[in-house]
Amino acid sequence: MGANISSSVVQREEGGSPLKPRLDDIPESCAALVLAMLDPPEICKLARVNRSFHAASSADFIWESKLPSNYKFIVEKVLRDAMLLSLQRKQLYARLCRPNPFDGGTKEIWIDKNTGGVCLSISSEALTITGIDDRRYWTRISTEKSRYPRVAYLQQIWWFEVDGELEFRFPAGTYSLFFRLQLGKSSKKLGRRVCNSEHIHGWEIKPVRFRLTSSDGQRGESQCYLENPGNWVLYKVGDFVVENPNALMNIRFSLTQIDCTHTKGGLCVDAAFVYPTTLGGFLCLGDSRFLASLIFYHKKMLKEA
C-alpha cells in the first residue's frame, strides 16, 4: 500500500527557496495511520481529501479495527454466509450496517454505522405472547411506522404476558433492552395518519412490569404506566453487562400486566431491541423522532439490498 515521496531532490521555486510540503505529498501509508485513529464517518469524510487518503481509506487493517470483535461469529453462525468474509473489510462493514435478517426473518442484526456497536431486534412473531392464537384477544395487523411489516395487536385480555429469549455472543460492554409499544391502532385517513383508540383501556389502573434475566445471573426489573396513545414508544426493560465476549449469553425478558381484576386492550407490540447502552441513551422514553429516522434508514437499506 502507498507510494512514498519518490524523489530525494527537493523541488525549488523559481527564486530558489524550497517548495512547501503539500497535502498531496503525504504518503498513503501515513494517511492510513491517521485514518486508523478516526471513527468511520470521519474516515469517509477524509477519503474525499485527495487520492492518498481515498486509497488509504480502503485499507483492511483500518476497517478490521472498526468491526465488532464478534464479526466472524455474526457472519458464520448468525447469518450463515461465510462468503461475506471474502469481502474487503470496508465492504463488510458497510454490509453489516444494513439490517440483516435471520431466524426466518423474525430477527435482525446490524452494527451502528458510527461506532460499530452491535444492535439486534426481535419481532413480535419471535416473542411468546399469551393468547396470541385466539383472535378474540389478538390479531396480526400491518402498519407503516413499525419496525416490522406486521405487529401484534391486543384487542382485550385479562392476562397480559409477552416473553422473549435471545442467545447471542456479544462483544464486551453494557447493553440495554427495550420493548417498542404503541397504544391504539394507527391507520391512514385521507392521506393522514390517525389513531384508532377504540380498544384502549385498563393501562391506567396498574403499571406493566418489565423483567430481564441473563444466564450469568444478572437481573433487572422495572415498571411503568403505558401512555402517549398513537405514538410508538421505547420502554426500557433493563441493562446487562458482557464481560466474556467468547461466551454465549442467554437473555430472557418479559412484559406483563397480570392483574385479573380488570381487562386491558388496545395495544400494539412491534418488537424488542438490544442496543449498546451508549447508543440506547439516545432512545429515551418518548423519543420517537430518533427511532423513526433509524427505522426509515433500515427500510431504505432493505430496499437497496
Side-chain angles (χ1 to χ4, degrees):
M1 174 188 69
N4 293 316
I5 300 176
S6 58
S7 175
S8 60
V9 179
V10 178
Q11 295 181 334
R12 295 178 179 273
E13 297 177 344
E14 292 182 1
S17 59
L19 286 172
K20 293 182 179 180
R22 298 172 302 171
L23 195 59
D24 288 340
D25 295 329
I26 296 178
E28 186 182 320
S29 56
C30 292
L33 293 176
V34 172
L35 295 176
M37 296 184 289
L38 304 178
D39 293 330
E42 297 171 324
I43 295 173
C44 294
K45 288 179 182 178
L46 282 182
R48 299 194 292 266
V49 169
N50 60 28
R51 291 182 179 179
S52 291
F53 276 90
H54 178 74
S57 68
S58 297
D60 273 353
F61 84 90
I62 294 177
W63 292 97
E64 181 89 22
S65 66
K66 309 306 176 186
L67 286 164
S69 62
N70 68 336
Y71 78 89
K72 291 183 179 179
F73 168 79
I74 294 174
V75 170
E76 296 176 338
K77 303 299 183 182
V78 179
L79 303 181
R80 300 184 184 278
D81 188 359
M83 290 297 293
L84 292 176
L85 295 177
S86 63
L87 295 174
Q88 288 186 316
R89 291 302 176 256
K90 181 179 180 180
Q91 294 175 320
L92 179 58
Y93 190 94
R95 172 61 187 271
L96 292 181
C97 284
R98 302 176 181 179
N100 295 277
F102 65 101
D103 277 3
T106 61
K107 300 173 185 174
E108 287 184 344
I109 185 170
W110 68 96
I111 61 174
D112 176 61
K113 64 178 181 179
N114 294 317
T115 65
V118 175
C119 309
L120 297 109
S121 64
I122 303 99
S123 74
S124 62
E125 298 199 21
L127 301 174
T128 302
I129 302 176
T130 299
I132 188 64
D133 295 324
D134 193 328
R135 294 183 63 84
R136 293 175 299 174
Y137 307 128
W138 291 90
T139 57
R140 299 281 186 186
I141 62 172
S142 299
T143 175
E144 292 184 350
K145 297 294 183 178
S146 60
R147 180 70 185 87
Y148 288 86
R150 296 202 309 164
V151 302
Y153 177 67
L154 173 64
Q155 298 177 97
Q156 178 175 290
I157 204 166
W158 292 88
W159 184 289
F160 173 70
E161 183 172 8
V162 180
D163 297 296
E165 184 174 3
L166 176 68
E167 189 170 72
F168 192 76
R169 185 188 298 172
F170 291 92
T174 304
Y175 296 83
S176 300
L177 192 144
F178 301 84
F179 273 106
R180 188 167 188 257
L181 311 172
Q182 177 185 272
L183 286 175
K185 181 166 56 174
S186 297
S187 61
K188 277 194 173 182
K189 187 175 183 180
L190 300 177
R192 298 180 60 185
R193 183 171 178 265
V194 296
C195 175
N196 184 342
S197 58
E198 175 186 3
H199 297 126
I200 300 176
H201 70 282
W203 305 109
E204 77 285 356
I205 300 175
K206 290 287 183 68
V208 298
R209 295 182 179 274
F210 302 94
R211 290 187 177 89
L212 178 153
T213 61
S214 69
S215 53
D216 62 354
Q218 299 180 66
R219 294 179 178 274
E221 185 172 337
S222 62
Q223 63 179 29
C224 71
Y225 289 91
L226 303 186
E227 53 188 5
N228 204 1
N231 294 289
W232 287 105
V233 179
L234 280 176
Y235 293 91
K236 187 173 180 179
V237 179
D239 298 333
F240 60 94
V241 178
V242 177
E243 296 180 348
N244 183 0
N246 298 315
L248 283 171
M249 177 174 281
N250 183 276
I251 304 295
R252 296 188 178 188
F253 50 95
S254 65
L255 161 64
T256 60
Q257 215 287 32
I258 54 178
D259 184 341
C260 294
T261 61
H262 65 281
T263 62
K264 63 284 296 181
L267 179 69
C268 288
V269 179
D270 181 12
F273 288 82
V274 178
Y275 293 102
T277 299
T278 51
L279 177 60
F282 293 102
L283 306 177
C284 59
L285 185 65
D287 187 1
S288 57
R289 289 178 299 173
F290 181 88
L291 190 61
S293 62
L294 188 66
I295 289 173
F296 173 81
Y297 169 77
H298 284 163
K299 289 187 175 180
K300 181 180 177 183
M301 290 292 98
L302 276 176
K303 292 179 180 179
E304 295 176 355

